[in-house]
Amino acid sequence: MNGFMSVLLDIFRQPSVIVALISLIGLWVQHKKATDIMQGTIRTMVGFLVLTSGTTVISNSLAPFGDMFKHAFHVQGVVPSNEAVVGMVLVKYGSEAALIFFFGMIVNILLSMTSRFKYIYLSGHVAFYMATMIAVIFEVSGLPTWGVLVWGSIAQGLIVTVSPALVQPFMRDVTGSDEVAFGHTSGSSVALGGLIARLTRSKKHPSKSTEDIKFPKGLSFLRDTTVIVALSMMLIYVVVALCAGPTYIQAKLSNGQNFIVFALLQGATFSAGVFIILAGVRVVLNEIVPAFKGISEKLVKNAKPALDVPVTFTFAPNAVMIGFISCFIGAIVGMLIMIACHTTIVIPGVVSCFMTGAAAAVIGNSQSGVRGAVISSFVSGIAISFIPLFLLPVLGSVGLANVTYSGPDFGVAGLIFGYANKFGGQVALIVTVILSVVLFYIASVLLTRREKAKKAGVDSADADGAAVTNA
Amino acid sequence: MKILTACSTGLGSSFMTQLNIEKALKQLGVEDVETGHMDIASVTPRSADVLFVGRDMAEAAQGKCDDVVVLDSLIDMNEITAKVSDALKRHGVALPTQQ
């Protein structure tokens, strides 16, 4: 009997089994056919195993990178890559992360049912990445597993409900409606960028829209994530390899292989790992997100789906290019400051510059044209270079692994919950979660009251964002 | 027939567009149309009969599929339903709810 129990426990400790069970429940509540349920459940389990095997590929290419960087510059260099760090966390805290992701979705539905913030976060991939970070922060606090799950899920649900609410005043300007929200981990810096773009708007010298500019064709390869990750990582690896020198690399790391060839291959291998992880994430989400969407549509009246960054791209495709370039420049400026200050160096992450910068520019453009787009995405670039730096100390052993989360919301959530635990321990962490829930409802009630007092008309959009920012 | 959607990572917006297209198909009363989503780089001419992409992907989608449909907005159900219905007609699928 004891043996049987331990086998059972072994099975349920497997994150792939937990994720498969979640999709089993999702498919079952959708009243799918038995064969579809079986197929979906097995696909999810295999998808999760694909995801974790991508981690091995990435870790193998990052280990020599860390060595080269330290040898060359005598400081640690950190690559911000969600895919890479998520894979590593899943190996250690996979079950907790999967359950926080699942219960976080339920908390998201509950919060939007009971407040005025009716945002259903449908960007499953970034929500999943967020859940892994929450799992780490709450695990590091030493809470028992049930505590990690309860408080972690509440924190997760809060983040994915509040983040779209912050951006919504600007999303209304972009889309010209209140139908759709912005669901991505760049939410907080996009809202900040939009606010700055609005404040720096000039009546005397209005800036024209980014969409009036004609761009040269032929930049379409930038839409290919695999190519941009590979190109940028190969470049970074080669630069670091040149600084570390051939003697060290050929003697210690590459087994005699030419150091440039070695660097190029390792950079490309990193991209291969990202490719594998994305494939796994896609399979897992295919089974889970439709169920979540169906359930939330039934339960939450007037629910607004919070969607991924590219939804905004169609409203201002030119701003996407401007945003990427301006955000990348911001990130490089951030890196130069870090070099000057002798801190750990966060290398600009090309993918996050593309996503965050593009979103910030589309929002900035809606506020004050080209000037707004440039300012908003530059601010985001500075933010995404520094935030990972402050995140490192709260991630426990994960923070030492040469990779970190890229995306402003990871930083904001990490700073709030991670530092609550760092300075006040478990009690402060739990108090912070409870306090956040209380503030969430106070903001909701106050905004509704103010709206009633104003009796419609006046731009309630501005009120919405401002009060949430204060909370 | 098969309708495919694509975006740069094949994770978020292509998936949402796929779900919107499924919704449109349901509204139109059409069954037996396969849907899917993937990253734009992995799409080949044999992947599907029709490829739906957002305005920003129009250039990258060129030549990926014989029938590329560019959406001005990924969330406008009217546009999606109209363009799905046109695509179905082009490929000879009967629309039962056609007025």
Side-chain angles (χ1 to χ4, degrees), chain A residues 83 122 125 129 175 180 211 217-220 222-226 275 278 281-282 285-287 289-290 293 297 305 307-308 310-311 313-317 320 354-355, chain B residues 7-20 22-23 37-42 53-62 64 70-76:
Chain A
E83 287 77 17
L122 291 179
H125 54 300
Y129 302 162
T175 62
V180 70
E211 303 319 292
K217 301 259 172 200
L219 290 167
S220 63
L222 280 174
R223 309 281 186 218
D224 186 338
T225 311
T226 311
F275 187 87
L278 287 177
V281 171
R282 201 174 305 149
L285 293 179
N286 276 354
E287 312 300 332
V289 172
K293 186 169 182 273
E297 273 169 2
L307 306 177
D308 195 8
V311 169
F313 290 0
T314 50
F315 293 97
V320 175
F354 185 75
M355 288 294 176
Chain B
C7 65
S8 62
T9 53
L11 282 179
S13 52
S14 57
F15 190 18
M16 288 316 305
T17 317
Q18 182 199 345
L19 294 177
N20 282 339
E22 281 173 5
K23 208 185 206 176
H37 69 113
M38 62 202 297
D39 64 293
I40 187 76
S42 303
V53 292
R55 201 145 67 97
D56 55 308
M57 300 296 266
E59 211 182 308
Q62 222 99 84
K64 289 277 186 186
V70 177
L71 294 169
D72 291 324
S73 161
L74 305 181
I75 47 175
D76 181 355

Side-chain angles (χ1 to χ4, degrees), chain A residues 263-283:
Chain A
L264 286 171
L265 280 174
Q266 295 302 320
T269 307
F270 185 92
S271 181
V274 170
F275 187 87
I276 297 172
I277 289 177
L278 287 177
V281 171
R282 201 174 305 149
V283 174

